[in-house]
Amino acid sequence: MSAPTLSIRDLTVDIPTRHGVLRPVSGVSYDIAPGEILGVVGESGAGKSMAGNAVIGLLSPPAHISAGEIHLNGTRIDPLKGEAMRRLRGKEIGMVFQDPLTSLNPLLKIGDQLSETMLAHLDISQSEARTRAIAALDEVGIPGAAQRVDSYPHEFSGGMRQRVVIALALCAEPSLIIADEPTTALDVSVQAQIIALLKRLCRERGTAVMLITHDMGVIAEACDRVAVMYAGKLVELGPVRDVLSAPLHPYTDGLMGSTPLASRGKDRLHQIPGAMPRLDSLPTGCAFHPRCPRASDQCRVDPGPAIEDGAGRAACFFPINREAVA
Amino acid sequence: MSLVSVRNLTRIFDVSKPWLNRVIERRPRALLTAVSDVSFEIEERTVYALVGESGSGKSTIGKMLVGLLAPSDGVVDIRGVDLSRETDAEKVDAVRADIQMIFQDPFASLNPRWRVRDIIVEPVAARGGETAGLAERLLEQVGLSARDAGKFPHEFSGGQRQRICIARALASEPKLIVCDEPTSALDVSVQAQVLNLMSDLKDEFGLTYLFISHDLTVVQHMADRIGVLYLGRLVEEAAPSELFENPKHPYTQMLLAAAPKLDGFGREVAPPTGEIPDPINPPPGCAYNPRCPLAQAVCREERPVLRNVGGARVACHMVD
Ligand SMILES: Nc1ncnc2c1ncn2[C@@H]1O[C@H](COP(=O)(O)OP(=O)(O)O)[C@@H](O)[C@H]1O
Ligand SMILES: Nc1ncnc2c1ncn2[C@@H]1O[C@H](COP(=O)(O)OP(=O)(O)O)[C@@H](O)[C@H]1O
Ligand code: SF4
Ligand SMILES: [Mg+2]
Ligand SMILES: [Mg+2]
């Protein structure tokens, strides 16, 4: 296997508050290989965005990385600050967020935004940058790219804007893309277009992708592997087909079961009782234990096993024994 | 007899710029047809779902049903009373009291300064009805506790707030509840809880739902009958099994193909082409014709009418 593009080890993010320290990300480890799409899934508040923002140095204070390491192409990047981090972000890591307008300057023509980014990070001329900007827009499926290059962001539909953002994220030829809910605000037909585009471009270029989403269907169709998060922790990590069709962690199992698709033909949906705990009142032991049908006394006191990348798949004392189930 | 009968319902919004701008910029008036000639019936004690992408007119239809918006044309008939033409105020009031609505955003739809008790009984109190113990009883019915009546909305999670909205909707003992994306803001495990609750309440109180959602999987689970909207027009209507196993309208087929599948590992399908057109200048003929793989000359000239095709109703020239 080739060396990973991104390697996260024991990543922990803390938020000091007047009432104590909150820990939205706790001891998370995973790798993403070149050309691989890793899905990060979990319900809101699981810490998915915090983990992504930690990688790109976009945690808003007082949130900060309190432990762990992040390596990009073999170089440790978590200690980088200010200008060094900004350069890395533009050149080596591309970003796509839920709202395309957060990534676009409303006052600049989209062609100029693309050119600016390329000129800052690639050794090319002004006219070369413009040619490449048009090619980039064409590649992401903007009809009439040669004319549209001089349009402003507000002149595009939501789906077209997200295409522009993808062009922008990829134009400096980064080795990693972090896409945080890139299709959550879009209709399903537009979502299908954007996901297909992201998949194709990253495969062609060997870009590693961290695809953050709460949508299990998107994970199934787009990702090679999936990381399931719950209350700041990684609870299951493995190949997408294995994790989704035969989950080992009771939370993954419950999540899959409660999607209407999985209960097709049944009168009632499978239910996990309760809701994700708040960070200021995390349960002791395994954070999932109050909602878990398999919890024992041990789960109530012991935080449980952590996942080492490549070793165990589920962070659980009593993972679902698939052989016994089958 | 059906509880609700919607006939040729149309709603047009005037989205013109102010008069002076129009004169200076020489622009014509701009009229947006949000809902165009939509007809359907909802049988008592069933769930009728409207599904479609954003801007397809779902909420506008819901609002016309509960009387929050007036139709530009057409009829909303509930229990035999034509709500926009009936002149007997008492009759209209009686029907209105039978209809409630639940919205997507349980944060926006609860007054933050009111206690939960007052929020829940408000529709009943407004009519001078008996409210003693009502909130407590309803809270238990929706899976919360009677003690929650004294709390404020901010003390609850999103799912719990949606339960409070449901309790409020139930307070006036309605027959019909219009549910506009009731679980779209909720996480999937919480969504499952709320959908199960809604199914239970429907059975218990003999309710009828107009269930509005953009989520095909939710609609498939909840509905007895599904209407698919595109650009304000009803393009197909069928029972869930029929619609999902044998979609007939090219738009429905595209929508189903585009929806991600839980077992669609590495699925590579050609994504849909094009985008939803501008509702101010919809394409002539069938609104789907610029994106439709089957389109012929007739599709660009004549608007297809909704016709019976087997157990379904379909508005397409090329389906028979
Ligand atoms: N500035 C902050 N102060 C306190 N808690 C925060 C702050 N920002 C985020 N959180 C909490 O951190 C947790 C993780 O958030 P996030 O990473 O956004 O979750 P996700 O992206 O999985 O929905 C949540 O419980 C959220 O409430
Ligand atoms: N009050 C309004 N004024 C002008 N246009 C409106 C108004 N309400 C809705 N629309 C337009 O009507 C169309 C249908 O909207 P809506 O019923 O909200 O769709 P949906 O609920 O399916 O997303 C959209 O094009 C929308 O922009
Ligand atoms: S009427 Fe014509 S354009 Fe419209 S959906 Fe049918 S075949 Fe396609
Ligand atoms: Mg997030
Ligand atoms: Mg709506």
Side-chain angles (χ1 to χ4, degrees), chain A residues 81 107 262 292:
Chain A
K81 297 239 158 11
L107 303 176
C292 182

Side-chain angles (χ1 to χ4, degrees), chain A residues 284-306:
Chain A
T284 55
C286 166
F288 187 59
H289 88 252
R291 307 176 70 187
C292 182
R294 305 169 78 84
S296 74
D297 286 340
Q298 186 183 12
C299 308
R300 286 180 258 278
V301 290
D302 192 328

Side-chain angles (χ1 to χ4, degrees), chain B residues 2-314:
Chain B
S2 40
L3 179 69
V4 179
S5 169
V6 166
R7 292 190 297 275
N8 309 105
L9 196 62
T10 297
R11 172 69 207 206
I12 296 168
F13 291 107
D14 188 340
V15 291
S16 313
K17 292 200 169 169
W19 171 79
L20 192 60
N21 295 52
R22 282 211 315 276
V23 173
I24 296 170
E25 297 169 26
R26 294 171 184 275
R27 280 178 191 271
R29 289 181 74 125
L31 298 178
L32 186 155
T33 306
V35 175
S36 176
D37 201 15
V38 167
S39 304
F40 60 89
E41 314 243 309
I42 311 179
E43 298 299 321
E44 192 151 7
R45 293 171 188 251
T46 66
V47 179
Y48 188 97
L50 284 175
V51 70
E53 298 180 278
S54 51
S56 58
K58 306 181 295 295
S59 297
T60 304
I61 293 176
K63 286 180 194 160
M64 287 193 278
L65 238 69
V66 299
L68 286 174
L69 269 178
S72 307
D73 200 1
V75 172
V76 176
D77 182 322
I78 293 176
R79 283 198 285 127
V81 179
D82 173 351
L83 285 177
S84 45
R85 279 177 200 79
E86 179 60 58
T87 46
D88 183 342
E90 228 165 271
K91 258 190 180 170
V92 172
D93 270 356
V95 171
R96 288 249 181 274
D98 277 346
I99 315 172
Q100 286 291 330
M101 187 153 179
I102 304 170
F103 298 91
Q104 169 172 352
D105 188 353
F107 296 79
S109 48
L110 297 175
N111 186 330
R113 284 181 296 276
W114 283 21
R115 287 185 198 277
V116 166
R117 174 184 299 108
D118 302 319
I119 291 174
I120 292 176
V121 303
E122 192 270 339
V124 176
R127 293 199 161 81
E130 176 57 46
T131 63
L134 179 62
E136 287 75 6
R137 208 164 60 240
L138 286 167
L139 282 168
E140 293 195 335
Q141 224 132 25
V142 298
L144 296 171
S145 119
R147 275 170 303 150
D148 290 330
K151 296 185 184 164
F152 290 95
H154 71 87
E155 298 175 63
F156 297 89
S157 68
Q160 291 171 325
R161 286 185 218 204
Q162 200 56 295
R163 287 174 193 265
I164 295 171
C165 294
I166 293 171
R168 177 179 55 185
L170 290 173
S172 49
E173 299 180 20
K175 292 213 160 49
L176 171 71
I177 303 186
V178 173
C179 318
D180 192 352
E181 308 263 9
T183 60
S184 300
L186 304 177
D187 275 315
V188 29
S189 76
V190 181
Q191 164 171 283
Q193 298 166 2
V194 172
L195 292 179
N196 283 343
L197 172 69
M198 292 180 66
S199 300
D200 294 345
L201 294 172
K202 173 182 166 274
D203 295 343
E204 200 173 329
F205 296 104
L207 298 168
T208 304
Y209 292 147
L210 173 65
F211 194 96
I212 293 172
S213 177
H214 70 281
D215 187 332
L216 288 160
T217 64
V218 169
V219 159
Q220 181 178 23
H221 177 74
M222 292 297 285
D224 296 303
R225 192 111 187 130
I226 300 172
V228 181
L229 290 169
Y230 185 73
L231 217 67
R233 307 165 188 207
L234 196 58
V235 296
E236 179 160 2
E237 182 197 80
S241 54
E242 174 85 6
L243 192 83
F244 283 85
E245 275 152 37
N246 186 14
K248 297 182 180 63
H249 196 283
Y251 175 66
T252 316
Q253 291 171 351
M254 182 275 268
L255 208 56
L256 294 186
K261 316 276 178 289
L262 273 185
D263 56 358
F265 303 113
R267 194 171 69 117
E268 305 277 352
V269 283
T273 51
E275 296 200 318
I276 297 173
D278 178 4
I280 299 173
N281 295 303
C286 171
Y288 191 57
N289 85 66
R291 305 173 70 185
C292 181
L294 303 181
Q296 300 294 323
V298 60
C299 305
R300 290 180 279 275
E301 285 150 19
E302 265 174 56
R303 174 165 169 184
V305 295
L306 203 62
R307 302 176 286 120
N308 289 324
V309 181
R313 293 198 297 154
V314 187

